[in-house]
Amino acid sequence: MSMAVAFSPLKNLLRVSPDGTLQGYIALWGTTEKRDCWNTWFDRDNPPDLGLDFLPIPLLYEHGMDPVVKKEAIGKVTSAWIDDNGVAFKANLFKDSPHFGRVMSEIKTGKLATSSGTADHLAEFDEENRFKDWRVVELSLTSEPCEYDMPMVKIS
């Protein structure tokens, strides 16, 4: 599988407003031929259990591994739905977070996309590495999304 990032028709579908309302994707549909950096994929015809009945979930920065922001929530995901591209979401960044300015600055320079995270015991894959269960415990803004076609966040 090539590591090159292909042009994504989704490039304009991940947006944040100046007040911190974010809309984009938790997951994009894949195929046996279109997989992410872990060689896994989300099947449009048989979506995994994402556990999104329990919203809100925290919005983190770099999956909680940044030495400054750490595991502090920078926002929350408030709704999620399935569409033709994948699993879409709406979230709100916390404007009173001490990291709001940094996050918005990195968004303005095109550095951040989204990536979902779960706990190991909540993830299950079939024999083709298709997601069966992927209970999302956090969504992150990250500079290195595992999904090659995940669009970068843009200011709307």
Side-chain angles (χ1 to χ4, degrees), residues 26 50-58 76-81 88-90 136:
I26 292 171
L50 297 170
L52 294 173
D53 297 338
F54 301 101
L55 294 174
I57 58 170
K76 65 181 175 180
V77 176
T78 56
S79 61
W81 60 95
F89 75 93
K90 187 173 184 179
V136 179

Side-chain angles (χ1 to χ4, degrees), residues 49-52 54 117-119 122-124 133-138:
D49 184 352
L50 297 170
L52 294 173
F54 301 101
T118 193
L122 299 177
E124 185 178 353
D133 284 309
W134 185 258
R135 308 278 169 83
V136 179
V137 297
E138 57 94 2

